[in-house]
Amino acid sequence: MTFLKQRLTILGSTGSVGVNTLDVVSAHPDRFEVFALSAATQVDVIFAQCQRFSPRFAVMVYAPQAKQLAEKIKQAGLKTIVLSSAADLEMIASHEEVDSVMAAIVGAAGLKPCMAAAKAGKRLLLANKEALVVGGELFMQAVKDGGAQLLPIDSEHSAIFQSLPEDPEAWAQRVEKIILTASGGPFRTLDIASLRHVTPDQACAHPNWVMGRKISVDSATMMNKALEVIEAKYLFRLEPTQIEVVIHPQSVIHSMVQYLDTSVVAQLGTPDMRVPIAFGLAWPHRIASGAKALDFRAMADMTFEEPDHARFPGLQLAWEVLAAPSGSTAILNAANEVAVAAFLAGRIRFDQIHFVNRSTLDAVVLTEPGSLADLIGLDLQSRSAAEQIAKQLEV
């Protein structure tokens, strides 16, 4: 079977998802062509990517790094055009020659280019859960109005998507609930009292997955799962009461769908992000991902546990903000980004991340957002409140 090449923009190409996306792309040169890349600060990494994949554009978020990259590009005699502005990110996400956009920018910073891709009707491969957590109904309306195709890349949401009926109209009639699995992170069995002494390096040492520092900390607090619950609500048109979380330390079952007849359909695989990335890139077909296959004969027992809410207090915030007025999810996301950054910088303790999140939700006076500008304003307001709370806690 012959396929037309997909022209691909990768937002956040130097992060773990971006690097894994390029690994899959490199294995299928007949199917994919890299149109544009973006990064924040890692000049050497994106320069090497430009040398290998020859994108038309490379966007650096910060001007000094863009200047460094442009100099390297010129010296190497490459034709890649280096840009640096928020508008340029939106341009490479919505360009008329782009077919697919891998949205792998960490945090709310990915919202505007994701919205641009949605409005332009692109195939949007969403690895940036925060864009949907912050954007909520406004983001989903942009997807609908633009005729975009939204495919989840998070391993859990990809697993749910693969386990659901092909026709989205059948979801509500057949599905009882979905079950998101969580590894429990590196502190699943650690004495709760000792969490106050956790270091950033310890929090980033995930037992199963290789991820960036922010998402690794979110995994350790299980805030990543809280954000995934919110994302699942919008992606799969479910009531919050239809979403459950179970701890599965082995990370073999990536998530499950329970149907009305109590049958459960699950997606299994090795903990390798190339699997959901390859699925999203090739959907509705399948291509080799480069990941190792499961060896059931060598597999350890698969176990499941109820989340410990004393250990992971942030998890319950997902259902709380989904029951609250629109915009509450954006407040939670902003607070968590500030709190995690403060922890990674050594300003607050690991066990104070939840306090910042909880206190910010209580502190921000919410006016429900009706536009992208409103969401951005709410995000800034929430970050300011969270910064003040974190500053009072500084160790």
Side-chain angles (χ1 to χ4, degrees), residues 151-201:
L151 295 172
I153 299 301
D154 271 348
S155 62
E156 296 82 0
H157 299 98
S158 177
I160 295 297
F161 185 67
Q162 294 180 60
S163 302
L164 284 167
E166 288 189 12
D167 180 9
E169 298 304 318
W171 294 352
Q173 287 76 36
R174 299 185 189 180
V175 173
E176 178 73 25
K177 62 182 179 182
I178 64 173
I179 304 164
L180 299 174
T181 58
S183 69
F187 309 132
R188 180 176 60 87
T189 60
L190 193 68
D191 177 59
I192 293 177
S194 65
L195 291 176
R196 66 183 289 118
H197 304 298
V198 163
T199 68
D201 285 345

Side-chain angles (χ1 to χ4, degrees), residues 12-351:
S13 67
T14 61
S16 60
V17 172
V19 169
N20 278 310
T21 299
L22 288 171
D23 188 68
V24 175
V25 165
S26 68
H28 302 277
D30 57 324
R31 297 194 59 151
F32 306 107
E33 176 185 336
V34 177
F35 178 83
L37 303 172
S38 85
T41 60
Q42 297 191 60
V43 174
D44 290 340
V45 177
I46 195 170
F47 173 62
Q49 293 173 344
C50 290
Q51 287 180 303
R52 183 172 183 184
F53 295 97
S54 303
R56 187 181 304 181
F57 297 104
V59 178
M60 298 297 295
V61 174
Y62 302 109
Q65 284 78 13
K67 184 178 179 180
Q68 293 175 35
L69 178 62
E71 290 173 353
K72 286 178 172 286
I73 292 288
K74 182 179 179 180
Q75 291 172 4
L78 303 180
K79 295 181 179 180
T80 299
I81 300 169
V82 180
L83 303 170
S84 176
S85 75
D88 293 324
L89 278 178
E90 294 178 56
M91 181 275 289
I92 63 171
S94 59
H95 197 285
E96 62 182 4
E97 294 185 37
V98 170
D99 301 306
S100 302
V101 176
M102 174 62 74
I105 294 176
V106 175
L111 176 58
K112 290 182 75 173
C114 282
M115 289 284 277
K119 291 177 180 178
K122 304 303 181 185
R123 171 182 280 209
L124 183 53
L125 309 174
L126 193 65
N128 174 284
K129 63 174 68 66
E130 292 89 350
L132 188 48
V133 170
V134 175
E137 294 294 350
L138 286 171
F139 182 83
M140 293 305 293
Q141 190 62 47
V143 170
K144 181 178 179 181
D145 293 346
Q149 187 178 62
L150 186 62
L151 295 172
I153 299 301
D154 271 348
S155 62
E156 296 82 0
H157 299 98
S158 177
I160 295 297
F161 185 67
Q162 294 180 60
S163 302
L164 284 167
E166 288 189 12
D167 180 9
E169 298 304 318
W171 294 352
Q173 287 76 36
R174 299 185 189 180
V175 173
E176 178 73 25
K177 62 182 179 182
I178 64 173
I179 304 164
L180 299 174
T181 58
S183 69
F187 309 132
R188 180 176 60 87
T189 60
L190 193 68
D191 177 59
I192 293 177
S194 65
L195 291 176
R196 66 183 289 118
H197 304 298
V198 163
T199 68
D201 285 345
Q202 289 172 327
C204 292
H206 195 281
N208 299 336
W209 296 90
V210 177
M211 305 181 292
R213 288 175 72 78
K214 194 271 182 182
I215 192 173
S216 294
V217 175
D218 282 347
S219 180
T221 62
M222 279 191 69
M223 269 304 300
N224 73 318
K225 211 54 54 177
L227 298 177
E228 287 171 12
V229 167
I230 297 167
E231 186 181 7
K233 187 266 186 190
Y234 292 111
L235 279 174
F236 305 121
R237 310 173 193 175
L238 297 170
E239 295 300 320
T241 53
Q242 292 178 283
I243 307 170
E244 292 185 5
V245 172
V246 64
I247 291 181
H248 170 48
Q250 295 81 18
S251 296
V252 172
I253 296 178
H254 297 302
S255 280
M256 300 170 270
V257 175
Q258 181 173 308
Y259 286 83
L260 293 176
D261 62 359
T262 72
S263 296
V264 176
V265 177
Q267 187 265 335
L268 287 71
T270 52
D272 189 321
M273 280 304 299
R274 289 177 295 178
V275 176
I277 288 168
F279 178 78
L281 284 170
W283 187 86
H285 306 284
R286 296 213 181 231
I287 57 175
S289 66
K292 290 178 61 177
L294 285 174
D295 182 353
F296 287 94
R297 294 164 298 183
M299 191 182 299
D301 292 339
M302 291 194 290
T303 59
F304 304 90
E305 306 166 8
E306 183 75 16
D308 181 348
H309 293 291
R311 183 183 303 277
F312 305 115
L315 179 59
Q316 202 59 33
L317 292 178
W319 289 272
E320 181 177 326
V321 294
L322 285 174
S326 175
S328 299
T329 57
I331 297 172
L332 176 60
N333 180 75
N336 186 62
E337 288 191 21
V338 169
V340 171
F343 165 67
L344 288 172
R347 293 170 49 206
I348 67 172
R349 300 194 312 265
F350 178 82
D351 63 333

